[in-house]
Each structure stands twice: as structure tokens, then as C-alpha cells.
């Protein structure tokens, strides 16, 4: 199994959580509850061993200040160095922060293997964000690495991390960067349903993949079968959002949702291995 969506933090963030909550509104929104776990690299690898996960893509948080962004990315680099056969580190930045593209370039040059999870929890995906993402996308394409983007469904209940995102804005972003290897977290907010349209959309989404992060909280198990019917099994990537949920929850829902054993192999590892080929 390859898990394309996990989060790890330096131990100091867990031990001094209140200090970081004060300084970053987005971090406070997602992690102010003591139930929101903060784990380090060793704890992630231990959980991977317990759940039969061979490799995990892992990343930090889009902090609002460059100093903390660099510190967290250095932690990801060190974790990947310690567990080169297990962890695939991505660089995480706040794209609106001056110097974000330079930080991405630094991280990719030092060996991180992608960019993500980029998130715009409060800003949404307007023209300003497209402009901020452009140099980061250029770097991803130059290094041949994927970008993982936080998305969410624009309807339904509110929850920490649900941004003011509209699918039209997301579609505009995808069209702006047609050659980018793009992973949309959380099923892309449901944008893949528009593969059913007769014109344009399936071609626009040709380089787009969808991870399953938080699926048990957001969608009925049937989403696995329906997603395969709508766009095929090759575009779906298993992501747990660990430590939010354990991999076992997803495997159970894949079975309950009618995903065949052959398609489950693609979703839980083979698709990600092909996408990340040569990067680990």
C-alpha cells in the first residue's frame, strides 16, 4: 500500500501547541481541539507498520510565516532522509507568502519529491491564488513532481478545514495548468462527477488524480464504485489523512462500497507507484 496523504509535525509543535495556535489562524482552526492529533515521523512509520502501508507521502502545514515553513520543511527532509524507503516528503508552503516559490525550489533541490498539501483555508481559489501558484507550478513541472492541493465539497455541513472553494474556480485553476501532475485531496470536492459531461471536462482533467483523504467523514462508501464507473480506477489514489483516520477505515469502505479486488490494488498502491515512479 502507498498512502499519498499524511501529516507529520516536529515534536515541538505537539508539546507547545498553544504557542502555535496563537500565531496562525488556519492552524488554530484545524488543530485547536486536543483530539486533533499531531504525530512525528517515528509515530507515522510505526502506524504504517501496524496497518501494512509500505510507503507514505507526508508533508507539513501551510504556515503563514516563512520561518516556520522552512523549519517544518526541514523536518520533512530529515524524516525522508531517515526513512528513505518508507517516506516520500513533499514541500508545503503558503503560496501567498513572499518567497514561497523560492522555498519550494530549495526543498525540491534538496530532494523533496513533490509539493503539498497546499491549502487556502480562508482565501479560496481566486485570481490572486492562481497568480501565486504559477511559479510553484513551473517548479513542479520543471522537476517533474506532482502538486497536491486541498479541496473540499462546496455544499453540505461545515467543519474545520472546509474552505470557501467553488468548483468553477477549481476548474479554472486546472485549465490554467494543463500539464501539471495534480492530486486533488478529498475527492477533488466532487469535481470528478463532471466527467459525465459530454464535452471538454474529461480532457481537462487528464492529468488530475483524486485522493480519498477523509472520505469516511464526507462520502458514502458507494463513492468508490461510482468514481470508477465515472472516470475509471486509474485516477484514484488512497490517502488516509493520517492521523485523522487509520487506513483500515478506508479499506473497509472500499469493500463495502463495491470496489473490486483488482481495482482496490490500483487505488491502494499501483496508481500511486506509477505516478511517483522514479521519485522514491
Amino acid at each position: 500500500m502507498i498512502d499519498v496523504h499524511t501529516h507529520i509535525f516536529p515534536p515541538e509543535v505537539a508539546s507547545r501547541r498553544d504557542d502555535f495556535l496563537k500565531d496562525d489562524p488556519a492552524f488554530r482552526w484545524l488543530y485547536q481541539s486536543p483530539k486533533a492529533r499531531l504525530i512525528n515521523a517515528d509515530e507515522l512509520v510505526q502506524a504504517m507498520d501496524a496497518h501494512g502501508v509500505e510507503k507514505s507521502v507526508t508533508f507539513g502545514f501551510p504556515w503563514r510565516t516563512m520561518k516556520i515553513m522552512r523549519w517544518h520543511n526541514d523536518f520533512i527532509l530529515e524524516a525522508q532522509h531517515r526513512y528513505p524507503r518508507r517516506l516520500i516528503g513533499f514541500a508545503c508552503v503558503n503560496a501567498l507568502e513572499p518567497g514561497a516559490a523560492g522555498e519550494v525550489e530549495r526543498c525540491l533541490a534538496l530532494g523533496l519529491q513533490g509539493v503539498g498539501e497546499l491549502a487556502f483555508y480562508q482565501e479560496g481559489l481566486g485570481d490572486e491564488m492562481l497568480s501565486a501558484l504559477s511559479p510553484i507550478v513551473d517548479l513542479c513541472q520543471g522537476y517533474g513532481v506532482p502538486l497536491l492541493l486541498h479541496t473540499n465539497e462546496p455544499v453540505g455541513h461545515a467543519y474545520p478545514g472546509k474552505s470557501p472553494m467553488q468548483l468553477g474556480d477549481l476548474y479554472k485553476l486546472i485549465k490554467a495548468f494543463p500539464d501539471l501532475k495534480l492530486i486533488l485531496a478529498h475527492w477533488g470536492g466532487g469535481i470528478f462527477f463532471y466527467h459525465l459531461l459530454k464535452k471538454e471536462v474529461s480532457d481537462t482533467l487528464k492529468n488530475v488524480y483524486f485522493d480519498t483523504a477523509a472520505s469516511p467523514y464526507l462520502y458514502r462508501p458507494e463513492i468508490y464504485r461510482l468514481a470508477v464507473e465515472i472516470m475509471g480506477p486509474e485516477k484514484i489514489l488512497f490517502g488516509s489523512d493520517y492521523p485523522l483516520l487509520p487506513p483500515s477505515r478506508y479499506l473497509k469502505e472500499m469493500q463495502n462500497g463495491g470496489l473490486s479486488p483488482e481495482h482496490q490494488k490500483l487505488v491502494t498502491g499501483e496508481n500511486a507507484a506509477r505516478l511517483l515512479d522514479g521519485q522514491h
Side-chain angles (χ1 to χ4, degrees), residues 80-114:
Q80 179 181 267
H81 180 73
R82 278 196 297 126
Y83 296 104
R85 297 181 181 276
R86 308 300 301 282
L87 300 183
I88 302 165
F90 277 22
C92 191
V93 296
N94 179 343
L96 294 175
E97 180 71 16
E103 172 63 4
V104 167
E105 186 166 22
R106 180 186 79 91
C107 291
L108 295 180
L110 289 172
L112 289 186
Q113 300 171 60

Side-chain angles (χ1 to χ4, degrees), residues 21 24-33 61 120-122 158-164:
L21 293 175
D24 195 297
F27 182 73
R28 183 165 63 247
W29 191 30
L30 271 76
Y31 288 100
Q32 63 184 339
S33 170
F61 189 81
F120 317 108
Y121 295 117
Q122 295 160 320
Y159 50 82
K162 187 166 185 174
S163 65

Side-chain angles (χ1 to χ4, degrees), residues 13-262:
V13 179
S15 63
R16 295 172 37 225
R17 185 191 303 234
D18 288 348
D19 292 337
F20 291 90
L21 293 175
K22 294 174 188 173
D23 295 335
D24 195 297
F27 182 73
R28 183 165 63 247
W29 191 30
L30 271 76
Y31 288 100
Q32 63 184 339
S33 170
K35 294 180 180 178
R37 293 177 61 199
L38 298 167
I39 62 168
N40 60 39
D42 297 333
E43 291 170 308
L44 174 60
V45 172
Q46 291 167 9
M48 291 165 61
D49 290 341
H51 291 280
V53 176
E54 181 184 1
K55 299 175 187 291
S56 287
V57 172
T58 195
F59 30 74
F61 189 81
W63 300 98
R64 66 186 295 184
T65 61
M66 180 59 66
K67 180 180 179 181
I68 301 178
M69 268 190 274
R70 286 178 64 96
W71 173 62
H72 203 155
N73 285 328
D74 285 341
F75 173 76
I76 301 295
L77 278 158
E78 191 273 335
Q80 179 181 267
H81 180 73
R82 278 196 297 126
Y83 296 104
R85 297 181 181 276
R86 308 300 301 282
L87 300 183
I88 302 165
F90 277 22
C92 191
V93 296
N94 179 343
L96 294 175
E97 180 71 16
E103 172 63 4
V104 167
E105 186 166 22
R106 180 186 79 91
C107 291
L108 295 180
L110 289 172
L112 289 186
Q113 300 171 60
V115 176
E117 177 190 16
L118 298 196
F120 317 108
Y121 295 117
Q122 295 160 320
E123 300 88 355
L125 281 174
D127 290 341
E128 181 185 12
M129 201 59 65
L130 277 178
S131 178
L133 282 172
S134 186
I136 295 173
V137 169
D138 288 344
L139 287 164
C140 288
Q141 293 180 178
Y143 279 87
V145 300
L147 186 150
L148 191 151
L149 186 69
H150 173 85
T151 61
N152 50 253
E153 69 289 358
V155 299
H157 70 292
Y159 50 82
K162 187 166 185 174
S163 65
M165 191 201 78
Q166 300 302 317
L167 293 186
D169 291 336
L170 177 58
Y171 189 70
K172 183 178 179 181
L173 182 150
I174 296 166
K175 289 196 75 172
F177 308 121
D179 299 320
L180 173 67
K181 293 192 287 187
L182 181 62
I183 303 170
L184 298 182
H186 315 295
W187 290 109
I191 199 170
F192 74 85
F193 291 117
Y194 292 90
H195 266 271
L196 292 168
L197 294 177
K198 286 186 176 182
K199 297 180 180 180
E200 184 186 306
V201 174
S202 61
D203 185 59
T204 298
L205 299 181
K206 64 182 184 299
N207 289 321
V208 178
Y209 297 79
F210 301 85
D211 86 22
T212 65
S215 190
Y217 285 154
L218 303 174
Y219 294 95
R220 301 203 312 262
E222 296 94 313
I223 192 169
Y224 291 97
R225 175 179 54 79
L226 294 171
V228 167
E229 290 180 11
I230 290 170
M231 63 178 172
E234 295 82 6
K235 295 294 201 77
I236 308 169
L237 306 174
F238 163 60
S240 69
D241 218 349
Y242 195 83
L244 180 69
L245 284 168
S248 57
R249 284 283 299 274
Y250 297 84
L251 298 180
K252 182 178 180 181
E253 292 218 336
M254 289 179 198
Q255 294 169 350
N256 292 343
L259 195 64
S260 72
E262 294 78 12

